Amino acid sequence: MRKLNGGDLFNALRMLRALDIKGVVEAYSKTADAKTDEDKQAANMALFDRLVSNASDPESEEVLFSWLAGPLEKSSAEEVRTMPLDELGQCLETLGKDNDLRGFFGRAMQLTRML
């Protein structure tokens, strides 16, 4: 697994446009109140949960798994899709711990408003 980088930004923009970002924005705003590491981790997982719950159609699902393939260092969306749930959950937790998801998605959401 790797840290998020500039290349992940454009995939995130596509993902946010494909998903209902209203719910994502609500989940994102809760991360602003997180003070402790536990609160930050819980907020990050709530954000992932909202993203995943909004990916109910095949196109949105594909976009979400494609975005995750980058930082999870998988070759395709299908490789992420077929990960065992416990492994995927652990990877999402690590991704949240190792990255400022609030800052990353905040910048991405600002860009979606500008574009």
Side-chain angles (χ1 to χ4, degrees):
M1 181 174 310
R2 63 168 173 76
K3 292 185 70 92
L4 294 175
N5 62 43
D8 296 314
L9 182 61
F10 293 100
N11 283 335
L13 291 172
R14 285 188 289 277
M15 178 179 65
L16 291 172
R17 285 184 181 225
L19 301 174
D20 168 27
I21 64 170
K22 181 181 179 195
V24 174
V25 170
E26 290 171 5
Y28 163 77
S29 66
K30 291 181 182 177
T31 64
D33 298 329
K35 303 289 186 239
T36 67
D37 286 341
E38 291 82 17
D39 289 344
K40 289 176 186 176
Q41 182 178 354
N44 283 333
M45 292 308 290
L47 180 59
F48 276 125
D49 178 63
R50 187 48 129 164
L51 289 169
V52 170
S53 70
N54 286 357
S56 58
D57 63 89
E59 182 181 320
S60 297
E61 178 183 329
E62 185 68 22
V63 172
L64 177 61
F65 285 132
S66 291
W67 182 78
L68 286 171
L72 299 184
E73 297 183 299
K74 302 295 182 184
S75 61
S76 67
E78 186 60 28
E79 198 173 339
V80 177
R81 182 181 286 109
T82 59
M83 289 175 71
L85 286 178
D86 57 335
E87 180 184 351
L88 178 60
Q90 182 62 43
C91 287
L92 294 176
E93 185 177 322
T94 302
L95 185 65
K97 283 181 185 176
D98 292 351
N99 293 276
D100 176 12
L101 295 179
R102 181 176 169 261
F104 178 82
F105 282 104
R107 287 180 194 95
M109 284 186 274
Q110 286 174 341
L111 285 172
T112 61
R113 288 184 216 123
M114 292 171 44
L115 298 175

